[in-house]
Amino acid sequence: MRSFACDYIAGAHPEIIKRLTETNLEVLPGYTEDKYCMSATERIKKACQREDLEIFYLVGGTQTNQIVIDTMLANYEGVVAAKTGHVSIHEAGAIEFSGHKVIEIEGEKGKLSADKVDAYIKAFYNDENHEHMVFPGMVYISFPTEYGTLYSKNEMKEIHEVCKKYNIPLFVDGARLIYGLASYENDLSLKDLCDNCDVFYIGGTKAGTLCGEAVVFTNKNMPKHFLTQVKQHGALLAKGRLLGVQFDTMFTDDLYVNIGKWAIDKAEEVKEIFKRKGYKFLLDSPTNQQFIIMNNEKIKELEKEIGFSFWENYDENNTVVRFATSWSTTEDDIKELEKLI
Amino acid sequence: MRSFACDYIAGAHPEIIKRLTETNLEVLPGYTEDKYCMSATERIKKACQREDLEIFYLVGGTQTNQIVIDTMLANYEGVVAAKTGHVSIHEAGAIEFSGHKVIEIEGEKGKLSADKVDAYIKAFYNDENHEHMVFPGMVYISFPTEYGTLYSKNEMKEIHEVCKKYNIPLFVDGARLIYGLASYENDLSLKDLCDNCDVFYIGGTKAGTLCGEAVVFTNKNMPKHFLTQVKQHGALLAKGRLLGVQFDTMFTDDLYVNIGKWAIDKAEEVKEIFKRKGYKFLLDSPTNQQFIIMNNEKIKELEKEIGFSFWENYDENNTVVRFATSWSTTEDDIKELEKLI
Amino acid sequence: MRSFACDYIAGAHPEIIKRLTETNLEVLPGYTEDKYCMSATERIKKACQREDLEIFYLVGGTQTNQIVIDTMLANYEGVVAAKTGHVSIHEAGAIEFSGHKVIEIEGEKGKLSADKVDAYIKAFYNDENHEHMVFPGMVYISFPTEYGTLYSKNEMKEIHEVCKKYNIPLFVDGARLIYGLASYENDLSLKDLCDNCDVFYIGGTKAGTLCGEAVVFTNKNMPKHFLTQVKQHGALLAKGRLLGVQFDTMFTDDLYVNIGKWAIDKAEEVKEIFKRKGYKFLLDSPTNQQFIIMNNEKIKELEKEIGFSFWENYDENNTVVRFATSWSTTEDDIKELEKLI
Amino acid sequence: MRSFACDYIAGAHPEIIKRLTETNLEVLPGYTEDKYCMSATERIKKACQREDLEIFYLVGGTQTNQIVIDTMLANYEGVVAAKTGHVSIHEAGAIEFSGHKVIEIEGEKGKLSADKVDAYIKAFYNDENHEHMVFPGMVYISFPTEYGTLYSKNEMKEIHEVCKKYNIPLFVDGARLIYGLASYENDLSLKDLCDNCDVFYIGGTKAGTLCGEAVVFTNKNMPKHFLTQVKQHGALLAKGRLLGVQFDTMFTDDLYVNIGKWAIDKAEEVKEIFKRKGYKFLLDSPTNQQFIIMNNEKIKELEKEIGFSFWENYDENNTVVRFATSWSTTEDDIKELEKLI
């Protein structure tokens, strides 16, 4: 059955699986110290136009969020995030497991605003009892957000300014970064991202690798003995080559750019179809996830024919469902979808 | 300077310090296994009219909240609390330090409602992705709340019913329990409390002891090897007699009742005075903490003469301040206050 | 350069990389709920001759040890292990990170004995102060051990008897399980293992997969909401298919057996060569890791020509080095080694 | 019944309980910010002849060890301690609860030697795999040790030199510090202690207070936002005056010196009596705890008449028992003991 259920329904992009096969018998050192990790790092630096980046390869998104947050925060600090942030609700308490509070503040369509972040932190320091509270030690945003929306370059810069004012890092969760970069509405380059946050990651899992996230530290701020800390969190991959080869391939001949573009083009077609058929959207998403308000009976019928996913309840008769595209979305998938709705 | 800054500005109730002195030279075993802890336990059971209670003595409130929550929850569970709950904001992340999320939901005047708790948990289990979320494993409420308000017997019963429906415990933070019991508006007895929650504590620190909180498990549900777990949290007091003697005294000749009554009477007088002088209140508190909206200039002037505490900002020109009473509040304190405002 | 540095110097066994390629475009659900994980589970049950097993797929060894230990222990329990155990020294504190003490006791050649484990636990319960100590809540052993040695079926049974006496689980770290099973000296079958421990894992990473460890619970004792707890530890793989396909292939047509046999045959050849050339061994290892005492000058010379790894210092002039074999060891590797030493 | 069971069988030294009573009605701020805490701090600085100390007051010993270790170590660091150290075995895993490994090394009669510490750390850094291990981030010793023995000034200096070589702090657990200082064999002053370690604490609980330990940071190295971190560990005492008044009294008119002297004199008398009666000692302790090897039948008989405590099994027929003295030991206690043995 054809599926728009999520952006990780297939294996790896064929070019990646091919490179894994080609390099399979090479003798390589472990723990991400192989030449492919090194090459990937060089290519990412180039794509970012920044020579001074520090990069580490991890396996999954929740793991990456947990490790970045736990290793960059002091014990007494928590991370400020939108209530709808992945770290706030969909990581089974992975952040709290490592001892830190997620300080949830109201966002809009998945986004935090510089003003709200500033207001929260300002009020914190003005509170005479703040020494009895969790210190805001980092700001976490997602690009794109969990609702598919994007920060403009200027919006991100503003949030970063607030962070700099309070001397805390801005962390950008880039699980779906390539779709943000490829969006028709985006005005942020990889270099802009590097220049406007303190740490981010380039998602692999949702972008065409079998697994893997590349964490990028932008200010010579990789935590001390980071490899040891990754090991302590149970996250150091023995055959680091699995990550190295995949990211090296992603950043060869602009594969990550092309995957992003393909998925965004397909998402725009999906959006167009639903619009034409009169469906309403939860919000206007410029990336690869589209959130449609659908009648519950239509859902029951449609889910027999094509894959998509439950997002959240809307009202008694309607549910928000998600249709996602990726490198593996085909033109036939789109045609089939058009027929069915 | 006279002070209404909080309910722990003085040492212990004179009767308590007297008993500590009288018993000082007795040879007693440590770690709350002395005869005074045992006697206190018997007296508390009697005051609660429940023979089957299990009771343990700890030193402070945040410590007690951390230990009760951490030892009663499974790893994958969090505690549902009002956003304004002490565990949510004023414990410097003590709950997260032990690995658990505080699941903050909206309350009203410091109180949770059975409906909102039910709605949250119901939505949790209806969410197809809930296995990727923190399980609600306990409900935490304060009696009185951080805003001085009270749950009626019926309101507490309703919340307990919701907990029973989902098979999770209801935990009542009783840091200021004696003031709730003594309130003119209260309809809940110690026995009612035992019958309508799974664990609570009787606050000592804010009620007239030098330190100490008595945790009461109402359903033969004290966590296994609780003493060891208390030790592991760094909270087992070597000279447990310090807790035993104090609680034994509190529950002799109704001392806790009399302290509660005195403080409530004094709080009503404070309330009356402020009302008479035309002050507005943040809300109507029936317990020993009164929250007054006061002009910032008046505050500057008044704080030179008498003690009270900052609560929260109200608007540009006004601040919410707190006046608290306790066993140590004197009639002269009240007269002086009346003169000054 | 040819290498015996470890058993994870190459990618995946060619059959595995082939199956990953063949299944790459299939649309599959995530989080190890795909049909390949299910099929792998059925095949493992069959190989173990036990229908009642519960199996979960994780990514790496340290991660697996951390999760199994943390989710099976009560808060107040620690894990008993040999001082030389992987969890004791080579996991950067991953067990303590999750809040549990590794209770290190003396082993011999990497092995614990039933007598020593019994003596430790007996002394613990006889100690009048044991409520102030960490409760022994699990016994951890490795099969093969970190020194390549094996427990006989009877030795493992004896340790399991001790565990049953104290009602705590026996956990067998099987990072290199397939080499133990294939050893000429082994008398333990997969079924014997299932019958003589409470939980173990079948290592993939060191046995020919790109990554992956299959945790097997043998007594219907998989911790409650295990998927959620895995997620909380940052260890739930989104594209679970990566684990499913690999283990499904490993357990198809006895691939795991054949890989084990090949590596053991090669290890015996390595051993033979070193013996013939007069080298001394740190101990007699019957599995795929051989520990040779080598003169430091010889090491300097040899390491230019062939890969092997530092193990530990022996004396001023000599070092213990490790030569490991795997599916990727070739007959040419062996010939080259013979020439060089 | 008279008792030598431990040094915390009675309440507080009478002078302390008197001062608590005298100051009881004073209005004071909470959280150790009262004038008695400040005064105690000034007196301790004076007793230490060091103006630059930073001091914080906590409630109990295990709590203090947990907080000092957790707040001074980086995430990836553990604490090096003797196997017999209090943090190693008698704190129910409080150190691991906060995420850190206790790296246990062999001591002698409870003491670590500079050589062994140096050898361990040197070997750690020489190990090619040390990035996969727990970094030694602190050395913990007790003065006196858990076996009543003492480090000479020179021995402590040597250990401190090793710590400085590796740039890690030396932490001295002074739960029974006053008895070490008062020992006939001691050559270390409070100032020497300050100059030869990075952090230590002056035990109150075992020295005559109802509770309380004064943590002293000697190098302007109090961890950032220490009060918040104490709160996060559930250890911040609301009525900090309870600690302030007690330590202020201890350091007034040399009360701590006099208590130490008294207890040591009495311990020497106990030692003398046992020697005279032909008892053997586990080791020669120069402080207030004496470890006697006693026949099990004698123990059964004696424990009906006088209090003492089980220490450890010695052989089939004998047990090591502990007799401790303190400010509350009377001359009549000594006479009674002499009669009974």
Side-chain angles (χ1 to χ4, degrees):
Chain A
M1 189 168 73
R2 296 175 188 284
S3 178
F4 293 84
C6 69
D7 36 22
Y8 44 101
I9 52 173
H13 187 278
E15 192 60 30
I16 287 171
I17 203 96
K18 191 178 131 227
R19 285 297 290 151
L20 283 172
T21 305
E22 287 169 357
T23 60
N24 189 51
L25 293 182
E26 293 178 23
V27 170
L28 294 172
Y31 307 112
T32 72
E33 286 164 353
D34 61 278
K35 67 180 180 190
Y36 293 105
C37 283
M38 288 177 206
S39 169
T41 291
E42 288 314 306
R43 291 184 196 275
I44 290 172
K45 285 179 182 176
K46 211 169 159 193
C48 293
Q49 298 169 258
R50 284 275 302 264
E51 272 309 303
D52 59 343
L53 304 175
E54 295 169 302
I55 300 174
F56 204 96
Y57 300 94
L58 293 168
V59 174
T62 294
Q63 180 182 83
T64 301
N65 286 335
Q66 184 192 65
I67 290 174
V68 168
I69 291 169
D70 189 34
T71 62
M72 294 192 76
L73 289 187
N75 292 342
Y76 54 90
E77 293 176 331
V79 56
V80 177
K83 247 181 243 231
T84 52
H86 205 257
V87 295
S88 304
I89 43 172
H90 284 121
E91 303 196 340
I95 308 309
E96 291 83 3
F97 174 70
S98 67
H100 301 283
K101 185 180 184 74
V102 181
I103 301 166
E104 302 176 12
I105 67 177
E106 289 291 342
E108 203 177 338
K109 297 182 183 174
K111 290 167 63 178
L112 285 182
S113 73
D115 281 356
K116 280 207 178 137
V117 172
D118 194 18
Y120 177 82
I121 305 180
K122 195 175 161 191
F124 172 83
Y125 283 106
N126 281 344
D127 190 322
E128 290 187 11
N129 298 313
H130 73 263
E131 291 244 316
H132 290 218
M133 297 166 70
V134 175
F135 278 68
M138 171 186 268
V139 174
Y140 164 98
I141 60 174
S142 307
F143 182 89
T145 69
E146 295 73 11
Y147 282 86
T149 51
L150 292 176
Y151 292 87
S152 71
K153 181 172 160 181
N154 201 47
E155 287 170 335
M156 195 171 291
K157 202 186 189 72
E158 282 172 352
I159 295 179
H160 198 214
E161 289 303 324
V162 173
C163 289
K164 285 194 278 192
K165 186 164 93 181
Y166 296 107
N167 201 23
I168 60 174
L170 174 61
F171 171 31
V172 179
D173 176 335
R176 292 190 167 93
L177 181 60
I178 67 161
Y179 306 118
L181 295 176
S183 167
Y184 301 170
E185 294 188 7
N186 177 52
D187 69 350
L188 191 93
S189 69
L190 265 179
K191 177 156 194 329
D192 295 332
L193 180 58
C194 291
D195 295 348
N196 288 291
C197 76
D198 301 281
V199 55
F200 69 97
Y201 69 94
I202 303 169
T205 306
K206 289 163 178 166
T209 63
L210 287 169
C211 60
E213 321 292 317
V215 189
V216 183
F217 296 92
T218 68
N219 285 324
K220 292 287 178 201
N221 54 343
M222 180 185 271
K224 214 174 155 186
H225 295 302
F226 193 65
L227 183 141
T228 303
Q229 297 201 55
V230 167
K231 178 84 180 174
Q232 183 192 29
H233 285 73
L236 186 61
L237 196 63
K239 291 182 180 170
R241 66 196 295 151
L242 171 57
L243 304 171
V245 170
Q246 293 188 95
F247 275 95
D248 194 49
T249 308
M250 281 289 273
F251 281 83
T252 298
D253 297 338
D254 279 347
L255 178 58
Y256 79 99
V257 175
N258 297 332
I259 289 176
K261 274 188 187 156
W262 175 268
I264 290 298
D265 288 349
K266 292 293 154 263
E268 292 292 325
E269 291 174 36
V270 167
K271 197 194 292 195
E272 210 35 55
I273 291 170
F274 276 107
K275 268 192 192 157
R276 217 157 49 223
K277 305 260 178 159
Y279 282 84
K280 296 265 175 269
F281 294 72
L282 177 65
L283 45 64
D284 182 29
S285 161
T287 57
N288 76 317
Q289 302 184 90
Q290 297 299 320
F291 303 91
I292 323 289
I293 299 163
M294 198 177 278
N295 184 281
N296 293 340
E297 284 180 26
K298 177 67 186 169
I299 289 174
K300 268 190 203 155
E301 180 192 313
L302 190 62
E303 68 189 2
K304 291 178 202 149
E305 310 288 342
I306 202 160
F308 55 94
S309 66
F310 165 89
W311 190 251
E312 59 191 38
N313 294 315
Y314 188 74
D315 60 25
E316 241 176 278
N317 303 316
N318 297 281
T319 300
V320 180
V321 292
R322 183 185 67 174
F323 285 74
T325 60
S326 73
W327 65 266
S328 72
T329 307
T330 64
E331 302 199 351
D332 284 351
D333 291 341
I334 302 285
K335 281 180 197 151
E336 182 74 11
L337 175 66
E338 186 155 22
K339 251 188 269 170
L340 291 168
I341 62 170
Chain B
M1 191 168 73
R2 296 175 188 283
S3 178
F4 293 84
C6 69
D7 35 22
Y8 44 104
I9 50 171
H13 186 277
E15 191 61 29
I16 287 171
I17 204 97
K18 191 178 130 224
R19 286 297 290 151
L20 284 172
T21 306
E22 288 169 355
T23 60
N24 189 50
L25 294 182
E26 293 179 22
V27 171
L28 295 173
Y31 307 113
T32 73
E33 286 165 352
D34 61 277
K35 68 180 179 190
Y36 292 105
C37 283
M38 287 177 205
S39 169
T41 292
E42 288 314 306
R43 290 183 198 275
I44 291 173
K45 286 180 183 176
K46 211 168 157 193
C48 293
Q49 299 171 257
R50 284 274 302 263
E51 272 309 302
D52 58 343
L53 304 175
E54 294 169 304
I55 300 174
F56 204 95
Y57 300 93
L58 294 168
V59 174
T62 294
Q63 181 182 82
T64 301
N65 286 335
Q66 184 192 66
I67 290 175
V68 168
I69 291 169
D70 189 33
T71 61
M72 293 193 77
L73 290 186
N75 292 342
Y76 54 89
E77 293 176 332
V79 56
V80 176
K83 249 182 239 232
T84 53
H86 204 257
V87 295
S88 304
I89 41 170
H90 284 121
E91 303 196 340
I95 309 308
E96 292 82 4
F97 174 71
S98 68
H100 301 282
K101 186 181 183 72
V102 181
I103 302 165
E104 301 176 13
I105 67 178
E106 289 291 341
E108 201 176 339
K109 299 182 183 172
K111 291 166 64 179
L112 286 181
S113 72
D115 282 357
K116 279 206 179 138
V117 173
D118 194 19
Y120 178 83
I121 305 180
K122 195 175 162 189
F124 172 85
Y125 282 106
N126 281 344
D127 190 319
E128 290 186 11
N129 298 314
H130 74 263
E131 291 244 317
H132 290 217
M133 297 166 71
V134 176
F135 279 69
M138 172 187 267
V139 173
Y140 163 98
I141 60 174
S142 307
F143 182 87
T145 70
E146 295 73 11
Y147 282 87
T149 51
L150 292 177
Y151 292 88
S152 71
K153 181 172 160 181
N154 201 47
E155 286 170 336
M156 194 172 292
K157 202 185 188 73
E158 283 172 354
I159 296 178
H160 198 215
E161 290 302 323
V162 173
C163 289
K164 285 194 278 191
K165 187 164 94 182
Y166 296 108
N167 201 23
I168 61 174
L170 174 60
F171 171 30
V172 179
D173 176 333
R176 293 190 168 91
L177 180 60
I178 66 160
Y179 305 118
L181 294 176
S183 168
Y184 301 170
E185 294 189 6
N186 178 53
D187 68 350
L188 191 92
S189 69
L190 266 179
K191 177 156 195 328
D192 294 332
L193 180 58
C194 292
D195 294 348
N196 288 293
C197 78
D198 300 282
V199 56
F200 68 99
Y201 70 95
I202 303 169
T205 306
K206 288 162 179 166
T209 63
L210 287 168
C211 61
E213 321 291 317
V215 189
V216 183
F217 295 93
T218 67
N219 285 325
K220 291 287 176 202
N221 54 343
M222 180 185 271
K224 214 175 157 186
H225 294 302
F226 193 65
L227 182 143
T228 302
Q229 297 201 54
V230 167
K231 178 85 180 172
Q232 183 192 30
H233 286 73
L236 186 61
L237 194 63
K239 290 183 181 168
R241 65 195 297 151
L242 171 57
L243 304 171
V245 169
Q246 294 188 95
F247 275 96
D248 194 47
T249 307
M250 283 288 273
F251 281 83
T252 298
D253 297 338
D254 278 348
L255 179 58
Y256 79 99
V257 174
N258 297 331
I259 290 176
K261 273 185 188 161
W262 176 267
I264 290 298
D265 287 349
K266 293 294 154 261
E268 291 292 324
E269 291 173 34
V270 167
K271 196 192 294 193
E272 210 35 52
I273 291 170
F274 276 108
K275 267 191 192 159
R276 219 158 47 222
K277 305 259 178 157
Y279 283 84
K280 295 263 176 272
F281 294 72
L282 177 65
L283 45 64
D284 182 30
S285 158
T287 57
N288 75 316
Q289 301 184 92
Q290 297 298 321
F291 303 91
I292 324 289
I293 300 163
M294 199 177 281
N295 183 280
N296 293 340
E297 286 181 27
K298 176 68 186 167
I299 289 175
K300 266 188 205 157
E301 180 193 313
L302 190 61
E303 68 190 1
K304 291 176 203 153
E305 310 288 341
I306 202 161
F308 54 92
S309 67
F310 166 89
W311 189 254
E312 59 193 38
N313 294 315
Y314 187 75
D315 60 28
E316 242 175 276
N317 302 315
N318 298 280
T319 301
V320 180
V321 292
R322 183 185 67 173
F323 285 74
T325 60
S326 73
W327 65 268
S328 71
T329 307
T330 64
E331 302 201 350
D332 284 351
D333 291 342
I334 301 285
K335 282 178 198 156
E336 181 76 9
L337 176 65
E338 187 155 22
K339 254 187 268 171
L340 293 167
I341 63 172
Chain C
M1 190 167 72
R2 296 176 188 282
S3 178
F4 292 86
C6 70
D7 35 21
Y8 44 101
I9 51 173
H13 186 279
E15 191 60 29
I16 287 171
I17 203 96
K18 192 178 130 227
R19 285 296 292 149
L20 282 172
T21 307
E22 288 169 355
T23 60
N24 189 51
L25 294 182
E26 294 178 21
V27 170
L28 294 173
Y31 307 113
T32 74
E33 286 166 353
D34 62 277
K35 69 181 180 190
Y36 292 105
C37 283
M38 286 177 206
S39 169
T41 291
E42 288 315 306
R43 290 183 197 276
I44 290 173
K45 285 181 182 176
K46 210 169 161 192
C48 293
Q49 299 171 257
R50 285 273 302 263
E51 273 307 305
D52 58 343
L53 303 176
E54 294 168 303
I55 300 174
F56 204 95
Y57 300 93
L58 294 168
V59 173
T62 294
Q63 180 182 81
T64 301
N65 286 335
Q66 184 192 65
I67 290 174
V68 168
I69 291 169
D70 189 34
T71 61
M72 293 192 77
L73 289 186
N75 292 342
Y76 54 89
E77 293 177 330
V79 57
V80 176
K83 249 181 241 233
T84 53
H86 205 258
V87 293
S88 304
I89 41 172
H90 284 120
E91 303 196 340
I95 309 307
E96 292 83 4
F97 174 71
S98 68
H100 301 283
K101 185 180 184 73
V102 181
I103 301 166
E104 302 177 12
I105 68 178
E106 289 292 340
E108 204 176 336
K109 298 181 183 174
K111 290 166 64 178
L112 286 182
S113 72
D115 281 356
K116 279 205 180 137
V117 172
D118 195 18
Y120 178 82
I121 304 180
K122 195 175 160 189
F124 171 84
Y125 282 106
N126 281 342
D127 190 320
E128 290 187 10
N129 299 314
H130 73 263
E131 291 244 316
H132 291 217
M133 298 165 69
V134 175
F135 279 69
M138 171 188 268
V139 174
Y140 164 97
I141 60 175
S142 306
F143 182 88
T145 70
E146 294 73 11
Y147 282 86
T149 51
L150 293 176
Y151 291 87
S152 70
K153 179 173 162 181
N154 202 46
E155 287 170 336
M156 194 171 292
K157 201 185 189 73
E158 282 172 355
I159 295 177
H160 198 214
E161 290 301 325
V162 173
C163 288
K164 285 194 279 192
K165 188 164 92 181
Y166 296 107
N167 201 23
I168 60 174
L170 175 60
F171 170 31
V172 180
D173 176 333
R176 292 188 167 94
L177 180 61
I178 67 160
Y179 305 118
L181 294 175
S183 167
Y184 301 170
E185 294 187 8
N186 176 52
D187 69 349
L188 192 92
S189 68
L190 265 179
K191 176 157 195 328
D192 295 333
L193 180 58
C194 291
D195 295 349
N196 288 292
C197 77
D198 300 282
V199 56
F200 68 98
Y201 70 93
I202 303 169
T205 306
K206 289 162 179 168
T209 62
L210 287 168
C211 62
E213 322 291 318
V215 189
V216 182
F217 296 92
T218 67
N219 286 323
K220 291 287 178 202
N221 53 343
M222 180 184 272
K224 213 173 154 186
H225 294 303
F226 193 64
L227 182 141
T228 303
Q229 297 201 54
V230 166
K231 178 85 180 172
Q232 183 192 29
H233 286 73
L236 186 61
L237 196 63
K239 289 182 180 169
R241 65 197 295 153
L242 172 57
L243 304 171
V245 170
Q246 293 188 96
F247 276 96
D248 193 48
T249 309
M250 282 289 272
F251 282 84
T252 298
D253 298 337
D254 278 347
L255 179 59
Y256 79 99
V257 174
N258 297 331
I259 289 176
K261 273 188 185 157
W262 175 267
I264 290 297
D265 287 350
K266 292 295 154 262
E268 290 293 325
E269 290 173 35
V270 167
K271 195 194 293 195
E272 210 35 53
I273 290 169
F274 277 107
K275 266 192 193 159
R276 217 156 51 222
K277 305 261 177 154
Y279 283 84
K280 296 267 176 268
F281 294 72
L282 175 66
L283 47 63
D284 182 30
S285 159
T287 57
N288 76 318
Q289 300 184 92
Q290 298 297 321
F291 303 92
I292 323 289
I293 299 162
M294 198 177 278
N295 184 282
N296 293 341
E297 286 181 25
K298 177 66 187 168
I299 289 174
K300 268 190 203 157
E301 181 192 310
L302 191 61
E303 67 188 4
K304 291 177 204 150
E305 310 286 341
I306 202 161
F308 54 95
S309 67
F310 165 88
W311 191 252
E312 60 193 36
N313 293 315
Y314 187 73
D315 59 26
E316 242 176 277
N317 302 315
N318 297 281
T319 300
V320 180
V321 292
R322 184 185 66 171
F323 285 74
T325 61
S326 73
W327 66 266
S328 72
T329 308
T330 64
E331 300 198 352
D332 284 352
D333 291 340
I334 301 285
K335 281 182 197 150
E336 181 75 8
L337 175 65
E338 186 154 24
K339 253 188 268 170
L340 292 169
I341 63 169
Chain D
M1 192 167 72
R2 295 174 188 283
S3 178
F4 294 84
C6 68
D7 35 21
Y8 43 102
I9 51 172
H13 187 277
E15 192 60 30
I16 288 169
I17 203 97
K18 192 178 128 226
R19 285 297 290 151
L20 284 171
T21 306
E22 288 169 356
T23 60
N24 190 52
L25 294 183
E26 293 178 22
V27 170
L28 294 172
Y31 308 113
T32 75
E33 287 165 353
D34 61 279
K35 67 180 179 190
Y36 293 104
C37 283
M38 287 177 204
S39 170
T41 291
E42 287 315 305
R43 290 182 196 275
I44 290 173
K45 286 179 182 175
K46 209 170 160 192
C48 293
Q49 299 171 255
R50 286 273 304 264
E51 273 308 303
D52 59 343
L53 304 176
E54 294 169 304
I55 301 175
F56 204 96
Y57 299 94
L58 294 169
V59 174
T62 294
Q63 180 183 81
T64 301
N65 286 334
Q66 184 192 65
I67 290 174
V68 169
I69 291 169
D70 189 34
T71 61
M72 293 192 76
L73 290 185
N75 292 342
Y76 53 90
E77 293 176 331
V79 57
V80 176
K83 247 182 241 234
T84 52
H86 205 256
V87 294
S88 305
I89 42 171
H90 284 121
E91 303 196 339
I95 309 309
E96 293 82 3
F97 174 70
S98 67
H100 301 283
K101 185 181 183 73
V102 181
I103 302 167
E104 301 176 13
I105 69 177
E106 289 291 340
E108 202 176 336
K109 297 183 182 170
K111 290 166 64 180
L112 286 182
S113 72
D115 282 356
K116 279 204 180 139
V117 172
D118 194 18
Y120 177 82
I121 303 180
K122 195 176 162 189
F124 172 85
Y125 282 106
N126 281 343
D127 190 321
E128 291 186 10
N129 298 314
H130 73 263
E131 291 244 317
H132 290 217
M133 297 165 70
V134 175
F135 279 69
M138 172 187 269
V139 174
Y140 164 98
I141 60 174
S142 307
F143 182 88
T145 69
E146 294 73 10
Y147 282 87
T149 52
L150 293 176
Y151 292 88
S152 70
K153 182 172 159 179
N154 202 47
E155 287 170 336
M156 195 172 290
K157 203 184 186 72
E158 283 173 354
I159 295 177
H160 198 214
E161 290 302 324
V162 173
C163 288
K164 285 194 278 191
K165 189 164 94 182
Y166 296 107
N167 201 23
I168 60 175
L170 174 60
F171 171 31
V172 180
D173 176 335
R176 292 188 168 93
L177 180 61
I178 66 158
Y179 305 117
L181 294 176
S183 168
Y184 302 170
E185 295 188 8
N186 178 52
D187 70 349
L188 191 92
S189 68
L190 265 179
K191 175 156 196 329
D192 294 333
L193 180 58
C194 291
D195 294 348
N196 288 291
C197 77
D198 301 282
V199 56
F200 69 98
Y201 70 94
I202 303 169
T205 306
K206 288 161 179 169
T209 62
L210 287 168
C211 62
E213 322 290 317
V215 189
V216 183
F217 296 92
T218 68
N219 286 324
K220 292 285 175 203
N221 54 344
M222 181 185 272
K224 214 174 155 184
H225 294 302
F226 193 64
L227 182 142
T228 303
Q229 297 201 54
V230 167
K231 178 86 180 173
Q232 183 192 31
H233 286 73
L236 186 61
L237 196 61
K239 290 183 181 169
R241 65 196 296 150
L242 172 58
L243 304 171
V245 170
Q246 294 188 95
F247 275 96
D248 193 47
T249 308
M250 282 289 272
F251 282 82
T252 298
D253 297 338
D254 278 348
L255 179 59
Y256 79 100
V257 174
N258 297 331
I259 289 176
K261 273 186 187 160
W262 175 269
I264 290 298
D265 288 348
K266 292 295 154 261
E268 290 294 323
E269 291 174 36
V270 167
K271 196 194 293 194
E272 209 35 53
I273 291 170
F274 276 107
K275 266 191 192 157
R276 218 157 48 223
K277 305 258 178 159
Y279 283 85
K280 298 263 176 269
F281 293 72
L282 177 66
L283 46 65
D284 183 29
S285 158
T287 56
N288 75 317
Q289 301 184 91
Q290 298 297 321
F291 303 91
I292 324 288
I293 300 163
M294 199 177 279
N295 182 280
N296 293 341
E297 287 181 24
K298 179 66 186 169
I299 290 174
K300 267 188 204 157
E301 183 192 311
L302 191 61
E303 67 189 3
K304 290 176 203 150
E305 311 286 342
I306 202 161
F308 54 93
S309 69
F310 166 90
W311 191 252
E312 59 192 38
N313 294 315
Y314 186 74
D315 60 25
E316 241 175 277
N317 302 314
N318 297 280
T319 300
V320 179
V321 292
R322 183 185 66 173
F323 285 74
T325 60
S326 73
W327 65 268
S328 72
T329 308
T330 64
E331 301 198 353
D332 284 351
D333 291 341
I334 301 285
K335 282 179 198 155
E336 181 76 9
L337 175 65
E338 186 154 23
K339 254 187 266 172
L340 291 168
I341 62 169

